[in-house]
């Protein structure tokens, strides 16, 4: 057994399979939670029929998705149309590989973990654009274009905000960043004030990146049917939808790793802390989703380019100065 | 700044709402208390001695705006008192076209046809939506299901002196 695990390829395969299973299961329950919460906000009950309090509803939904007929529009670009959903899920899941779950428990301790996660989630705009372009549907195309426009807006303040922990810890490796936070301060509190603002900017932009209200501009269901996913049916639609949930979840885990100390915390075991923080951020995202309205595309771009880019640049400069002169 | 305070207000209001008891009632399992005069379905009544109230006057058939009531009458001696009077030999009410206007109840001189509060169940076939005479009398058996309005009570509510009847 130990010999087998010494084989890096086999070990990578096992780790990948485990991570994907865990993430997809988590996504199933999280979508259940979101539906339940949405129900309670709107004075409904949410899913109740499948399993106790509807807990098996995501499973039933997945089965339904697998059984449904798949339709590809005859005018669609068939290859891109088929390629987009699996690519979206692949890019969304990819980020999970470097997230430190507990001390020393992560699939791959990359030196450039922060860059890796940001690159993977930044690339997620591509499959969405592919889906929008290849569907040969005006709603899908508009959705895809909005995704690209949104992508070039949110990415810069997000990356600049994510650089604040990197500047403080002097490392791009996520496990180093968590270790720093476990031994020094959580980076949401350090440098005082600046860390909090960086966290808020990062989290706001994560909402835009995950296409969550108030920034769900690409799929705006009241304007664009389902945006780039309009023409998708059956499991292809399921892949796109689950990619968005996976991505939200990984962004939450990433934000709690960068700013909230990752697995660090008193009394409870590290695994509990990372779960509490990630789920807590996801609850906040869901809560925001059912409270706020959608902003317009130009409003998001104005927010990003006119306010958040200068603000995050300033924060980054001040953090550098803080590290240089205060410590 | 206004956007921020509005966001906080929105978050507060959804949180408050999500902690309240949901309005939804899981219908087949839980049935809400029904209004006293809920118009669900129809029933024909019998008097205390077990004699049919309906005298076969066909007023309901005539007043029905959507023509869903059909009855044939027969004159025969009452099985209880032995006196000869009119009866409905057949009575059908087709719920498929019924607009639940309650006019047949209001016009009935013998308080024979009333409405029941039980909500109409969906049916699997069109035939299931036709209330035959048997089904109408069966609906009238359980007094708790009946809406309280009969023709004479309604007339009294409208006109406590009952001047309309004295004329």
């Amino acid at each position: 057994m130990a010999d087998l695990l010494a084989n890096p390829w086999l070990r990578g395969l096992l780790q990948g399979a485990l991570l994907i299973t865990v993430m997809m299961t988590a996504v199933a329950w999280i979508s259940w939670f979101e539906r339940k919460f949405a129900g309670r906000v709107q004075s409904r009950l949410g899913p109740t029929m499948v399993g106790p309090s509807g807990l098996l509803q995501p499973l039933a939904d997945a089965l339904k998705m697998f059984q449904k007929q798949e339709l590809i529009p005859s005018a669609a670009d068939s290859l891109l149309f088929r390629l987009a959903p699996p690519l979206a899920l692949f890019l969304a899941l990819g980020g999970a590989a470097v997230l430190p779950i507990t001390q020393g428990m992560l699939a791959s301790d990359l030196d450039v973990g922060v860059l890796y996660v940001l690159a993977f989630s930044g690339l997620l705009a591509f499959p969405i654009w592919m889906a929008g372009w290849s569907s040969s549907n005006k709603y899908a195309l508009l959705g895809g274009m909005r995704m690209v426009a949104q992508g070039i807006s949110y990415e810069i303040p997000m990356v600049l905000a994510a650089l604040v922990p990197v500047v403080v810890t002097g490392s791009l490796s996520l496990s180093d960043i968590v270790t720093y936070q476990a031994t020094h301060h959580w980076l949401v509190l350090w440098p005082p004030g600046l860390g909090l603002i960086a966290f808020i900017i990062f989290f706001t932009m994560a909402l835009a990146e995950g296409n969550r209200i108030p920034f769900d501009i690409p799929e705006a269901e009241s304007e664009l049917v389902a945006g780039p996913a309009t023409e998708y049916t059956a499991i292809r639609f399921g892949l796109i939808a689950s990619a968005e949930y996976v991505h939200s979840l990984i962004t939450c885990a990433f934000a709690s790793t960068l700013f909230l100390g990752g697995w660090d915390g008193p009394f409870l075991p590290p695994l509990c802390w990372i779960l509490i923080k990630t789920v807590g951020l996801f609850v906040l995202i869901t809560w925001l989703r059912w409270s706020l309205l959608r902003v317009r595309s130009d409003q998001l771009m104005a927010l990003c380019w006119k306010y958040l880019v200068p603000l995050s640049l300033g924060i980054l400069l001040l953090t550098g100065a803080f590290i240089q002169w205060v410590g | 700044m206004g956007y921020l305070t509005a966001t906080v207000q929105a978050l507060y209001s959804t949180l408050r709402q999500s902690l309240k008891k949901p309005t939804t009632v899981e219908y087949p399992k839980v049935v809400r208390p029904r209004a006293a005069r809920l118009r669900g379905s129809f029933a024909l009544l019998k008097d205390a001695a077990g004699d049919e109230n309906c005298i076969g006057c066909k007023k309901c058939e005539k007043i029905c705006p959507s023509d869903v009531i059909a009855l044939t009458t027969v004159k025969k001696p009452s099985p209880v008192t032995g006196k000869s009077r009119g009866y409905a030999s057949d009575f059908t009410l087709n719920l498929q076209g019924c607009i639940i206007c309650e006019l047949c109840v209001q016009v009935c001189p013998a308080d024979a046809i009333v409405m029941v509060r039980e909500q109409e169940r969906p049916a699997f076939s069109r035939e299931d939506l036709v209330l035959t005479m048997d089904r109408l009398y069966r609906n009238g058996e359980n007094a708790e299901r009946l809406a309280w309005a009969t023709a004479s009570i309604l007339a009294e509510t409208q006109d406590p002196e009952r001047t309309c009847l004295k004329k």
Side-chain angles (χ1 to χ4, degrees):
Chain A
M1 192 65 191
D3 293 349
L4 278 178
L5 284 179
N7 182 342
W9 293 97
L10 192 63
R11 212 181 60 201
L13 198 70
L14 279 177
Q15 282 170 335
L18 188 67
L19 258 184
I20 291 174
T21 315
V22 169
M23 289 308 294
M24 294 312 280
T25 319
V27 161
W29 304 140
I30 259 175
S31 71
W32 169 84
F33 165 79
E34 172 148 27
R35 293 175 68 174
K36 263 313 207 203
F37 184 80
R40 295 305 293 267
V41 167
Q42 296 166 352
S43 204
R44 299 183 281 114
L45 289 169
T48 54
M49 301 308 263
V50 194
S53 9
L55 262 172
L56 295 178
Q57 186 70 42
L59 204 65
D61 282 349
L63 272 178
K64 177 197 74 179
M65 293 276 192
F66 275 112
Q67 285 174 343
K68 282 189 134 181
Q69 186 190 6
E70 291 199 35
L71 295 171
I72 297 181
S74 54
D77 185 330
S78 181
L79 181 68
L80 286 184
F81 191 84
R82 285 161 201 265
L83 198 57
L87 187 63
L89 191 60
F90 164 72
L91 288 175
L93 277 168
V98 295
L99 291 173
I101 298 160
T102 62
Q103 196 161 19
M105 181 175 159
L106 73 173
S108 166
D109 190 5
L110 277 188
D111 292 342
V112 288
V114 176
L115 185 66
Y116 172 88
V117 177
L118 286 172
F120 261 73
S121 49
L123 276 177
L124 204 62
F126 275 85
I128 305 291
W129 166 242
M130 273 163 67
W133 169 257
S134 64
S135 296
S136 81
N137 172 310
K138 57 188 167 214
Y139 298 119
L141 184 64
L142 277 173
M145 292 206 286
R146 285 184 181 191
M147 182 72 210
V148 176
Q150 183 169 332
I152 57 170
S153 312
Y154 68 70
E155 206 65 59
I156 294 166
M158 186 175 184
V159 171
L160 288 173
L163 277 181
V164 169
V166 174
V167 167
V168 174
T169 57
S171 168
L172 276 167
S173 155
L174 282 171
S175 58
D176 283 358
I177 290 176
V178 180
T179 315
Y180 176 90
Q181 296 183 79
T183 48
H184 296 76
H185 313 269
W186 286 11
L187 291 169
V188 69
L189 305 170
W190 193 260
L194 299 177
L196 184 63
I197 300 175
F199 173 66
I200 291 172
I201 294 176
F202 183 84
F203 188 71
T204 316
M205 291 301 100
L207 289 178
E209 191 175 40
N211 288 342
R212 305 288 293 197
I213 286 176
F215 305 118
D216 68 331
I217 301 161
E219 60 176 72
E221 54 274 88
S222 51
E223 305 157 30
L224 294 182
V225 192
T230 305
E231 289 288 356
Y232 280 91
T233 49
I235 194 61
R236 289 192 216 281
F237 178 80
L239 286 182
I240 291 192
S242 55
E244 288 195 344
Y245 275 105
V246 169
H247 184 246
S248 292
L249 197 61
I250 286 183
T251 317
C252 290
F254 187 49
S256 45
T257 306
L258 275 184
F259 291 97
L260 301 178
W263 42 257
D264 176 46
F267 311 123
L268 293 171
L271 188 61
C272 284
W273 276 111
I274 183 80
L275 280 178
I276 288 172
K277 287 165 187 170
T278 309
V279 172
L281 282 183
F282 189 84
V283 170
L284 184 58
I285 285 185
T286 317
W287 185 14
L288 281 167
R289 171 173 178 186
W290 295 104
S291 308
L292 299 184
L293 305 170
R294 181 183 311 122
V295 300
R296 282 196 318 267
S297 207
D298 62 302
Q299 286 171 329
L300 171 71
M301 277 184 249
L303 174 75
C304 290
W305 288 105
K306 286 187 193 161
Y307 303 104
L308 292 185
V309 169
L311 185 63
S312 49
L313 263 178
I315 298 250
L316 192 60
L317 284 175
L318 284 176
T319 310
F322 183 84
I323 295 301
Q324 185 70 29
W325 286 304
V326 183
Chain B
M1 209 57 210
Y3 195 83
L4 277 183
T5 49
T7 302
V8 173
Q9 272 176 0
L11 286 174
Y12 171 68
S13 114
T14 42
L15 183 68
R16 203 184 41 190
Q17 185 63 43
S18 69
L19 297 176
K20 280 185 195 161
K21 197 170 174 287
T23 321
T24 309
V25 171
E26 289 180 274
Y27 164 58
K29 280 189 246 163
V30 186
V31 180
R32 279 214 180 98
R34 301 241 160 90
R37 251 186 87 185
L38 181 83
R39 299 171 183 185
S41 182
F42 291 90
L44 284 173
L45 295 185
K46 293 180 179 172
D47 65 12
D51 201 3
E52 294 176 3
N53 274 357
C54 179
I55 54 173
C57 66
K58 291 198 172 190
K59 276 192 173 174
C60 49
E61 189 188 68
K62 281 191 191 98
I63 202 161
C64 180
S66 42
D67 248 354
V68 294
I69 298 177
L71 69 156
T72 51
T73 50
V74 67
K75 199 162 186 177
K76 63 176 184 185
S78 155
V80 179
T81 57
K83 271 168 108 178
S84 183
R85 70 167 172 91
Y87 280 94
S89 62
D90 188 30
F91 194 114
T92 57
L93 197 158
N94 188 349
L95 281 177
Q96 286 169 87
C98 179
I99 58 170
I100 326 277
C101 63
E102 211 195 40
L103 281 178
C104 48
V105 176
Q106 293 171 24
V107 84
C108 183
D111 289 354
I113 187 163
V114 291
M115 300 204 78
V116 291
R117 295 194 294 164
E118 189 147 303
Q119 192 164 329
E120 198 41 56
R121 296 264 150 75
F124 284 105
S125 67
R126 286 170 179 274
E127 287 74 21
D128 289 347
L129 286 172
V130 179
L131 293 175
T132 57
M133 201 158 144
D134 283 350
R135 289 178 67 186
L136 284 165
Y137 276 114
R138 226 178 305 138
N139 277 351
E141 276 163 15
N142 187 350
E144 280 171 24
R145 295 164 58 195
L146 298 181
W148 54 258
T150 62
S152 42
I153 296 176
L154 285 171
E156 200 170 333
T157 324
Q158 270 183 355
D159 182 8
E161 308 285 309
R162 310 209 72 174
T163 45
C164 62
L165 294 185
K166 278 171 198 157
K167 266 181 217 168

